[in-house]
Amino acid sequence: MAPRFLLHHAPNSRSLGSLWLLEEAGADYELHWHDLQAGTQKRPEYLAVNPAGKMPALVDRGPAGDWNGVVVTEAAAVTAYVADALPGAGLAPALGDPQRAAYHTWLAYGPGVLEPAIADKAFPRGRVASASAVGWPPFEDGVARIQAALGKGPWLLGDRFTAADITIGGLLAWVAQWGMLTPEGNVARYIDALNARPARQRAFEKGSAPP
């Protein structure tokens, strides 16, 4: 039987975070490789999977392998989906756990706050938008909020590593890699701890180039 999950993946894309997630979850999966320079993500067969022509897209064949057409797109949605689909991995607080409130907040904080703030920093507007016109603060303020949250423990939820750390930590590590963030204090320690995780290391090794 084919692995439960099939991840459409391209090196140096958002799908690397989804690959890291699958490794953390101990999921049964396979990769479908894409070449962004060749434009394989814009071919009709992939657009039928993800009309946006972006990475990632995750196909779930179901626990028994008999599901058809079950696809999750958008990196944060893939993260939340897999964490809930594989509860034994412990990557999400269970329903009814009060920590689930903070967990969902951080899952949304990545694409809803950090990514737009990163875009503003990388591609500044000709005129600064008023605070009431956008739903996110300056990038530095977003990082300061994370810095404060990490004062309660090594991870965003204290002593517990969750899929939210993949979403937030992966973004911070990425912008630090490109020189848009100089990590300090709790954030520097956080990125170092994330980079030391065996699952993240395996994801980088497996996801860097097709075998």
Side-chain angles (χ1 to χ4, degrees):
M1 187 173 70
R4 174 172 178 175
F5 297 105
L6 183 149
L7 176 66
H8 288 268
H9 169 68
N12 302 313
S13 75
R14 282 180 173 83
S15 61
L16 183 60
S18 300
L19 177 53
W20 175 20
L21 168 76
L22 292 168
E23 285 290 328
E24 290 280 2
D28 184 25
Y29 73 91
E30 62 181 324
L31 296 178
H32 183 103
W33 291 86
H34 286 267
D35 184 338
L36 300 184
Q37 301 305 315
T40 64
Q41 76 281 11
K42 300 300 182 182
R43 292 176 182 171
E45 56 268 30
Y46 182 63
L47 293 177
V49 176
N50 183 1
K54 300 282 188 179
M55 298 295 129
L58 183 75
V59 178
D60 185 358
R61 298 178 174 121
D66 56 352
W67 293 359
N68 292 303
V70 178
V71 179
V72 190
T73 65
E74 304 302 322
V78 170
T79 300
Y81 182 86
V82 171
D84 283 346
L86 301 175
L91 291 175
L95 289 173
D97 186 327
Q99 281 197 313
R100 199 165 173 92
Y103 168 74
H104 275 289
T105 297
W106 288 118
L107 281 181
Y109 201 76
V113 175
L114 280 188
E115 288 200 32
I118 290 167
D120 282 351
K121 186 175 179 67
F123 307 103
R125 298 181 181 88
R127 182 167 62 92
V128 177
S130 67
S132 62
V134 296
W136 56 89
F139 176 64
E140 291 75 13
D141 291 357
V143 173
R145 179 172 174 178
I146 297 166
Q147 185 88 257
L150 292 170
K152 301 174 184 177
W155 312 113
L156 291 170
L157 269 62
D159 291 334
R160 181 177 187 175
F161 176 86
T162 69
D165 293 298
I166 296 174
T167 296
I168 299 296
L171 271 173
L172 293 180
W174 180 73
V175 293
Q177 177 185 350
W178 290 104
M180 293 178 62
L181 170 68
T182 300
E184 298 178 347
N186 293 334
V187 168
R189 172 194 51 72
Y190 183 51
I191 292 175
D192 286 345
L194 292 168
N195 287 333
R197 293 186 69 83
R200 181 168 167 82
Q201 295 172 4
R202 289 194 304 270
F204 271 88
E205 181 179 354
K206 294 179 180 181
S208 60

